[in-house]
Amino acid sequence: MNYDLLLQSDHWLSLNYSKTFIRAISMSISDPSAAQTPLLDDTIDGCLDYKGRPVRRSSSGCWISASFIIVVEIAERFAYYGISSNLITYLTGPLGESTATAAAQVNAWNGAASLLPLLGAFIADSFLGRYRTIILASLVYILGLGLLALSATLGSISSSGGQNADDIALSSSLQFQVILFFSSLYLVAFAQGGHKPCVQAFGADQFDTQDPEECKAKSSFFNWWYFGMCAGTLTTLSILNYIQDNLSWVLGFAIPGIVMAVGLVVFLLGTMTYRYSVKGDEESPIVTVGRVFILAVRNRKTSYSAIAAEEEARGILATESSKQFKFLNKALLAPDGSKEQGEVCSIREVEEAKAVIRLAPIWATSLIYAIAFAQSSTFFTKQGATMDRSTAMGFEMPAASLQSFISLSVVLFIPIYDRIFVPLARALTGEPAGITLLQRIGSGMVISTISLVIAAVVEMRRLKIAEEYGLLDKPNVMVPMSVWWLVPQYALYGLADVFTMVGLQEFFYDQMPNELRSVGLALYLSIFGVGSFLSSFLISAIENLTSGDGRDSWFANNLNRAHLDYFFWLLAVLSAVGLTLYVCCTKYYIYARWGRTF
C-alpha cells in the first residue's frame, strides 16, 4: 500500500483507522493473550500518524511536533512583515504615491490578507486537510515573493535608463512593474490566507484537550507561538528593513522567499511526528452549521411548547446554553413539526451553531482594537520618519524598524506572562490559564487605548517643536526630536498584543467545534482584515472631510502641517467606546467546553 502522505486523503485515513481498529478486535477474539497487548492503551482518539495508524501519545505530538510548526510560522512571519512593515515606504518612494493613498493601500492589502484565511480555512477543513493546505500555501507564498523580487528588478532597470531613454518605453515599463508588483503582492496575501489559519490550528492539534497536562501545555503553546512569531518579526525589522532602505529592494524581497523555502523544508522534516486529525466522508461542518440556521428559520412558526416537548423527549437538561438562542432549538424538529419526516439536526449540531453565533459580539467589539493595530505599520512609521533617528553607533535607524519595539516588547513579556503571571494568577483564580480568555482580551484593549493617548501626546509635542524651529513648511528637514519618544507607544502596543492578540487566537480556536477550528482562527484573522478595511475607509473619509477649501488635511504629505494627533485622539475615544461595548458583551458569554473531561 502506498503510504505517501501527500497523496493520502482524509477519507482514506479514516478507512485505514477503521481497518486497524477492527483488526485489533479480531486479534483479541481469536487470541485472548493479544488483548493484553497495549496496542491502543497509548493511542489518542480521533488522531492518526503519517501512515494512517493509531497515533501513540508517547511518540508524537506535543512540543516535539509543535517545534517544527513554530519554525515554519517564524519563517512566514519573517516573510510577511518583510513586506508589510516597510510597504508604505516602497509605495511612497519607488512607486511615488501620496501618503494617504499609500496608507489606504497598505490597509487594503492587510485587510485582504486577513480576510482570505476564511477561504483557506474552508478549503482546509472541508477538502484538503490542514497539512496539505500548509504545503500548497507555502509553495504559492514562495512564488509570490519571487515575483515581488522580479518586479523590484524591473524598477531598478527602468530607473537606470538615463535621460536618453525613450519616455514611452519607460512609461510602459513602469506600468508593467506596477501591475506585476500588485499582482505578486495579492498572490502573497492569497497564500497567507491558506497558510495562517492552518499552521496555528495544526500546531494546536498536537495537544490532546482530553488530557489535563496537554491541555495546559496547549494554552502555553499559544503564548510561545506568538513569542516565536514576534521573534521572526523582530529579525525582519532589525535586518531586512535596513537592507530595503539602504541596499536593495530586490534583495529585500528575495530574502523572505529564501527564508520561506527553508521554513517549508523544516516543516516537512516533522512529518513523521505529527498527529493528523481523522476526517471521514461526512459533510462539511460549515454546511452542518448552516443547516441549523436554515431549519430554525423554516420552523420559525413552531411553538416553543413543541420544542420543549422535543427537548424533554431527547433528554435535554435545562442549562444556560440550552436557554440561550432558543430559536435555534427549533432545528431539532422537521418543518412540519414531526420527527418522522424531513431532515432534523442533532443536539450537538445545534450547540455548534450556538457556539458560532456567540462569537459574533466578541468579533464585532474587537474591530476597534484592529483599527488601532493597523496604525503601527502606517502612520506610526511616517511619524518616525520625520524625527531624529540617529543612534549611538553612528547609523540612522530605518523608520519601519521602529516596529521592532512591538516585537521586542512581546519577546520580553511573554516569558514573564507564561512563567510568572499565569502561575500566580492560577493560584488566586483557579483558572488553568490564570485569567479567563475574555479577561485577557479586555486587558489588552485597555493597554491599547493608553498607547493611543500617548501617541497623540507625543505627536502634539512633535508638531510644537516643528513650529518652534520654523519647520512647518520644511517637510524634508528632520525635526529635532529624538525618535525614542515613540518607544513607549510601540512597547505598549506589544504588551497589548500579548494580552489581546494571543487571547483572541486561543479564544477563537478553543471556542469552536473541533471540525471548525481552522475556521475559528480564520475568524480571528478576519477581525484584523475588516479592521484594516475600516481603517482604510476612515482614513479616506477623514481625508475628504478635512482637505477642502485649501486646508491641509489630517494626513497631508507634509506631516508638519498635518494633524495625526487628532486622528490618534479619535482612535483613543473609539477604543474606549469599543472596550465598553466589549465588556457588556462578555457578561452574557457562555464558554464552550469541546472535548474536555475536566
Side-chain angles (χ1 to χ4, degrees), residues 28-46:
S28 65
I29 294 175
S30 60
D31 182 8
S33 63
Q36 305 302 318
T37 60
L39 178 63
L40 299 177
D41 292 346
D42 193 35
T43 59
I44 300 175
D45 292 337

Side-chain angles (χ1 to χ4, degrees), residues 417-436:
Y417 183 91
D418 192 73
R419 298 303 178 189
I420 299 177
F421 176 80
V422 170
L424 290 176
R426 183 185 296 149
L428 295 173
T429 65
E431 287 284 337
I435 56 177
T436 67

